[in-house]
């Protein structure tokens, strides 16, 4: 009886506050605190859980990757990556918008953030596409849709958060008895597993882009494709291309951890920005620090309130109840995957990605374990599903950024982004139903 009352208070107050327009962090914090007080718990425990949640070493990667992304934009690294992507695209049908998808992949391999990728690439590519005859709405839509790749292509901030959330959740004994031992969750493993799914999503966007551009008559660059032009862009952008190689190469070779790699990324950017490109100014560093402080503070507030909320869910057996009810409905793994994917897509439309991961991982991961789903594969599908939320209203952060850059209405961009969202959903189903897409590279590298 007490358990059901706590759940009513927890979810009732959370939904009520969301409907009243309260920020997600306030809704999570107040509903969790109300449940604590109802249970007669000492409120100091609330603070202790919150403090512990933001005190983990892997979490230090979060502000460091945000700062690295902001500095790379100021240092001219993102501009050179866009030029390189543009030189690859050439004069083909939809070449300029294809270059946008490629530029988002390149920048995603540095920033780890969907909105940061959309902003960095959009400021350069949206005006360039409009200049070459693309519709403003279409240019904004392809940029907003491709920006979601920033959280799938490693390094990825949502993968760091999923890794932290999943590390503390052991597989249930009955799941181990039925399916054998599961592999452990680690952030480097998640990063490696994200590569091929990121390529699957990118290919889906490129295919849809080709058909839409053929329909609208959008072309690529006017000067044609030449190996010389590509080599010149590569020569100019060599230090920019080396950035993801240095960051990811260091992680996979075991030279440094993901947290340390984020610090390496900052140091690398400062050296390139000040000494090589000579485009980084002291005021740019201060602006980047200001952006990082604001974004990190916002994320950490959500993170620790979501941790307390998640702890209450686990203590009241909600994950076990959800898992049991899903398994009662059907034991068909493909049907359950479909239910999980549609649920995550729905949540992604209304909830901030990191908060969704923090709240839903303790609920859905036990379901995955009971079905024998690999936790790394599950984590990749969760991140891929929620990455689509960046391009779907009403929350869609990438839509707001693309709208701000291009001056196009959110409504127009949303309609134009629908075919890309549909393609991404099909790609997510392929990734979910073919586990080897996510698990092949970690297995190959001995993880």
């Amino acid at each position: 009886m007490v358990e059901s009352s706590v759940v009513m208070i927890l979810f009732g107050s959370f939904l009520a506050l969301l409907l009243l327009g309260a920020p997600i962090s306030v809704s999570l914090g107040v509903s969790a605190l109300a449940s604590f007080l109802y249970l007669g718990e000492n409120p100091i425990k609330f603070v202790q859980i919150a403090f512990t949640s933001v005190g983990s070493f892997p979490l230090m990667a979060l502000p460091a990757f945000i700062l690295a992304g902001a500095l790379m934009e100021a240092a001219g690294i993102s501009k050179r990556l866009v030029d390189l992507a543009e030189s690859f695209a050439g004069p083909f049908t939809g070449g300029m918008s294809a270059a946008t998808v490629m530029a988002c992949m390149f920048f995603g391999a540095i920033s780890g953030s969907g909105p940061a990728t959309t902003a960095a690439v959009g400021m350069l590519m949206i005006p360039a596409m409009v200049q070459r005859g693309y519709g403003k709405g279409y240019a904004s839509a392809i940029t907003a849709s491709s920006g979601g790749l920033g959280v799938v292509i490693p390094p990825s901030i949502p993968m760091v958060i999923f890794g932290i959330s999943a590390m503390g959740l052991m597989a249930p004994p009955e799941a181990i008895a039925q399916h054998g031992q599961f592999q452990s969750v680690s952030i480097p493993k998640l990063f490696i597993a994200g590569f091929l799914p990121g390529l699957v999503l990118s290919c889906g966007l490129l295919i849809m882009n080709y058909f839409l551009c053929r329909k609208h008559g959008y072309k690529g660059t006017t000067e044609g494709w030449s190996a010389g032009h590509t080599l010149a862009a590569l020569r100019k952008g060599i230090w920019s291309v080396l950035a993801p190689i240095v960051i990811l190469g260091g992680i996979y070779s075991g030279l440094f951890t993901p947290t340390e790699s984020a610090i390496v990324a900052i140091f690398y950017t400062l050296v390139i920005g000040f000494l090589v490109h000579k485009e980084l100014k002291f005021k740019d560093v201060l602006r980047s620090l200001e952006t990082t402080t604001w974004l990190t503070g916002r994320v950490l507030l959500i993170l620790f309130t979501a941790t307390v909320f998640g702890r209450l869910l686990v203590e009241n057996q909600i994950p076990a109840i959800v898992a049991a009810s899903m398994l009662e409905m059907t034991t068909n793994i493909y049907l359950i995957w479909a239910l999980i994917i549609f649920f995550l897509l729905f949540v992604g439309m209304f909830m901030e990605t990191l908060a969704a991961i923090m709240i839903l991982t303790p609920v859905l991961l036990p379901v995955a374990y009971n079905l024998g789903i690999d936790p790394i594969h599950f984590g990749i599908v969760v991140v891929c599903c929620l990455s689509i939320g960046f391009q779907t209203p009403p929350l869609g952060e990438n839509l707001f950024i693309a709208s701000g850059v291009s001056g196009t209405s959110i409504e127009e961009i949303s309609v134009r982004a629908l075919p890309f969202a549909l393609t991404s959903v099909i790609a997510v189903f392929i990734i979910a139903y073919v586990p080897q897409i996510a698990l092949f590279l970690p297995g190959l590298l001995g993880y």
Side-chain angles (χ1 to χ4, degrees):
M1 187 66 189
V2 176
E3 281 179 11
S4 59
S5 304
V6 172
V7 172
M8 286 294 292
I9 291 167
L10 192 64
F11 282 104
S13 52
F14 175 62
L15 293 170
L17 286 163
L18 279 183
L19 290 170
L20 287 169
I24 186 94
S25 52
V26 173
S27 304
L28 288 165
V30 170
S31 57
L33 187 58
S35 303
F36 261 88
L37 294 172
Y38 174 79
L39 288 166
E41 298 266 13
N42 188 338
I44 199 71
K45 188 181 172 187
F46 181 94
V47 180
Q48 286 168 342
I49 295 169
F51 179 76
T52 309
S53 71
V54 295
S56 65
F57 179 68
L59 197 59
M60 285 171 63
L62 178 73
F65 275 129
I66 293 172
L67 179 57
L71 286 171
M72 282 174 183
E73 196 182 326
I77 286 177
S78 55
K79 184 180 183 302
R80 285 165 174 80
L81 288 173
V82 167
D83 290 343
L84 181 62
E86 202 175 320
S87 73
F88 277 124
F92 309 110
T93 299
M96 279 294 288
S97 42
T100 303
V101 178
M102 287 192 279
C104 285
M105 285 172 68
F106 287 148
F107 195 75
I110 299 170
S111 75
S113 161
T117 302
T118 306
V121 175
M123 280 189 278
L124 299 163
M125 290 305 285
I126 292 174
M129 282 189 275
V130 172
Q131 207 177 347
R132 286 173 171 84
Y134 284 70
K136 247 187 196 182
Y138 184 84
S140 305
I142 186 72
T143 309
S145 302
S146 307
L149 296 171
V151 302
V152 181
I153 304 279
S156 155
I157 293 167
M159 281 183 199
V160 172
I161 300 300
F162 176 84
I164 292 165
S165 305
M167 278 177 205
L169 293 168
M170 296 292 102
E174 59 272 20
I176 294 171
Q178 191 178 349
H179 303 287
Q181 200 66 43
F182 291 88
Q183 68 169 319
S184 61
V185 176
S186 76
I187 292 164
K189 214 182 287 185
L190 285 162
F191 281 2
I192 297 168
F195 260 112
L196 293 181
L199 288 177
V200 170
L201 285 166
S202 306
C203 289
L205 292 174
L206 288 168
I207 291 164
M208 179 56 76
N209 171 65
Y210 174 78
F211 285 113
L212 289 173
C213 287
R214 197 169 71 171
K215 180 185 167 187
H216 297 301
Y218 298 148
K219 300 290 178 193
T221 53
T222 47
E223 57 269 17
W225 188 88
S226 75
H229 182 54
T230 304
L231 284 170
L234 185 59
R235 197 162 48 246
K236 265 202 264 181
I238 188 68
W239 293 107
S240 305
V241 175
L242 281 174
I245 294 170
V246 168
I247 296 163
L248 297 171
I251 296 170
Y252 302 150
S253 64
L255 203 60
F256 37 75
T257 66
T259 306
E260 290 161 352
S261 77
I263 310 301
V264 170
I266 294 168
F267 182 74
Y268 181 89
T269 307
L270 290 172
V271 171
I272 300 304
F274 280 122
L275 304 179
V276 180
H277 295 164
K278 297 180 180 171
E279 290 178 26
L280 194 63
K281 304 285 182 286
F282 187 65
K283 64 177 183 189
D284 296 324
V285 176
L286 290 178
R287 201 180 305 118
S288 298
L289 286 167
E290 193 180 316
T291 306
T292 304
T293 307
W294 183 80
L295 278 174
T296 305
R298 184 167 150 253
V299 169
L300 289 183
L301 265 174
I302 294 167
L303 183 70
F304 76 62
T305 50
T307 302
V308 180
F309 192 93
R311 181 74 65 87
L312 279 165
L313 287 178
V314 173
E315 283 176 2
N316 288 284
Q317 305 292 308
I318 305 304
I321 294 163
V322 171
S325 58
M326 269 194 168
L327 293 170
E328 273 170 26
M329 225 186 302
T330 176
T331 51
N332 185 309
I333 193 166
Y334 298 109
L335 279 176
I336 289 183
W337 260 131
L339 286 170
I340 290 171
I341 289 167
F342 284 125
F343 176 63
L344 287 169
L345 291 170
F346 177 75
V347 168
M349 290 167 68
F350 297 95
M351 195 179 284
E352 206 273 339
T353 305
L354 302 184
I357 290 171
M358 290 296 295
I359 295 167
L360 296 176
T361 301
V363 178
L364 295 176
L365 191 56
V367 178
Y369 278 131
N370 282 320
L371 286 163
I373 295 169
D374 185 275
I376 298 293
H377 177 217
F378 181 75
I380 296 300
V381 175
V382 169
V383 172
C384 289
C385 284
L386 294 173
S387 77
I388 299 170
F390 284 117
Q391 69 191 71
T392 51
L395 188 66
E397 290 172 76
N398 289 4
L399 297 175
F400 288 98
I401 291 166
S403 172
V405 172
S406 65
T408 314
S409 72
I410 294 282
E411 291 76 16
E412 187 187 342
I413 300 173
S414 300
V415 170
R416 301 263 185 191
L418 279 175
F420 298 112
L422 181 65
T423 310
S424 298
V425 171
I426 293 166
V428 167
F429 270 96
I430 293 168
I431 294 160
Y433 288 172
V434 186
Q436 278 309 306
I437 293 172
L439 300 176
F440 173 71
L441 279 181
L444 190 69
L445 296 173
Y447 276 88

